[in-house]
Amino acid sequence: MRNAFHEGLDHTSDQLVEMTRLAGSAIARATTALLDADLAIAESVIAADEQIDQIQRELDELALDMLARQQPVATDLRTIVTSMRMSADLERMGDLARHVAKVARRRYPDSAVPATLRATLLEMGQVAERIVAKAGSVIASRDVALAVQLEQDDDEMDRLHRQIFAQLLGGGWSYGMEAAVDITLVGRYYERFADHAVSVARRVVYLVTGEWHESYDPTAAHTP
């Protein structure tokens, strides 16, 4: 019975990593759809979100089954509950990529991104890809130092988000209200995508250290 329990924990970890892979693919393709006004890619991102949702549902069912059958305590209980929360973060990341794709679909055949913001949105997409890939590595390795790097990537995403608002509010916006709404929404979607990845990393730090930190200092001493 205990072997089956630990196999369930290993399967959960593997599926969480798979969710990061799917979310990374989704945000990469959503960025392409947004910048290139590619309707086919946008539709594929929207349709593929169901796969992430399905994994989350299966992980929730597995977690509840392990809780009922094994009645775990201490570290095992913390692992199960934290994994459920991570799967919720990752599912939300998939939703946010879908939202970006929906903006691209809504403005087709035009691009929703004005020329002056294309470079910024491209960079936001690249940061989003990088941060979700690191989240997958953190889940697989439980590497606290790598988890801390996600905080730095999130700072970069926040900087790009502020750049967008500087252009929107700087007095030189000439693309109309509709474009302003699109860019405001899209910027928020990328910013929240990164926030959820950071949440995943912080939960891994909690699993490793047994302590919750809003911002973890890897040079500090912690007792597992």
Side-chain angles (χ1 to χ4, degrees), residues 94-112:
D95 287 346
L96 290 162
R98 186 188 69 210
H99 292 337
V100 172
K102 284 186 174 181
V103 173
R105 182 176 68 178
R106 186 163 61 245
R107 298 305 170 212
Y108 178 83
D110 298 318
S111 172

Side-chain angles (χ1 to χ4, degrees), residues 90-196:
L90 293 166
E91 188 275 334
R92 184 58 183 153
M93 291 167 74
D95 287 346
L96 290 162
R98 186 188 69 210
H99 292 337
V100 172
K102 284 186 174 181
V103 173
R105 182 176 68 178
R106 186 163 61 245
R107 298 305 170 212
Y108 178 83
D110 298 318
S111 172
V113 183
T116 56
L117 282 172
R118 288 181 65 83
T120 302
L121 266 297
L122 175 61
E123 193 172 353
M124 291 184 89
Q126 292 169 342
V127 172
E129 289 181 63
R130 183 166 68 246
I131 202 170
V132 71
K134 285 184 180 178
S137 296
V138 167
I139 293 168
S141 66
R142 298 197 175 185
D143 185 332
V144 171
L146 185 59
V148 174
Q149 291 183 21
L150 270 77
E151 302 273 358
Q152 298 165 0
D153 289 324
D154 186 49
D155 289 342
E156 179 65 11
M157 184 68 86
D158 290 341
R159 182 188 67 79
L160 293 166
H161 195 213
R162 289 192 296 271
Q163 273 188 9
I164 286 178
F165 277 100
Q167 288 209 38
L168 285 169
L169 303 175
W173 185 259
S174 60
Y175 301 101
M177 182 61 68
E178 190 174 82
V181 171
D182 285 344
I183 293 300
T184 299
L185 289 173
V186 166
R188 180 61 171 164
Y189 297 151
Y190 282 108
E191 189 262 343
R192 289 300 296 153
F193 186 96
D195 284 349
H196 281 288

Side-chain angles (χ1 to χ4, degrees), residues 26 29-30 32-34 37-48 97-98 100-106 108:
R29 290 182 294 121
T32 298
L34 186 71
D38 192 315
L39 181 60
I41 293 178
E43 294 286 9
S44 74
V45 173
I46 294 165
R98 186 188 69 210
V100 172
K102 284 186 174 181
V103 173
R105 182 176 68 178
R106 186 163 61 245
Y108 178 83

Side-chain angles (χ1 to χ4, degrees), residues 54-66 84:
Q54 180 61 32
I55 293 175
Q56 190 206 11
R57 289 192 292 269
E58 291 172 357
L59 288 180
D60 282 351
E61 290 174 4
L62 176 59
L64 292 173
D65 182 71
M66 289 190 290
M84 291 176 71

Side-chain angles (χ1 to χ4, degrees), residues 202-219:
R202 288 174 177 171
R203 295 187 195 285
V204 173
V205 171
Y206 171 67
L207 283 178
V208 173
T209 67
E211 299 177 23
W212 179 261
H213 295 267
E214 283 301 310
S215 185
Y216 180 75
D217 179 359
T219 65

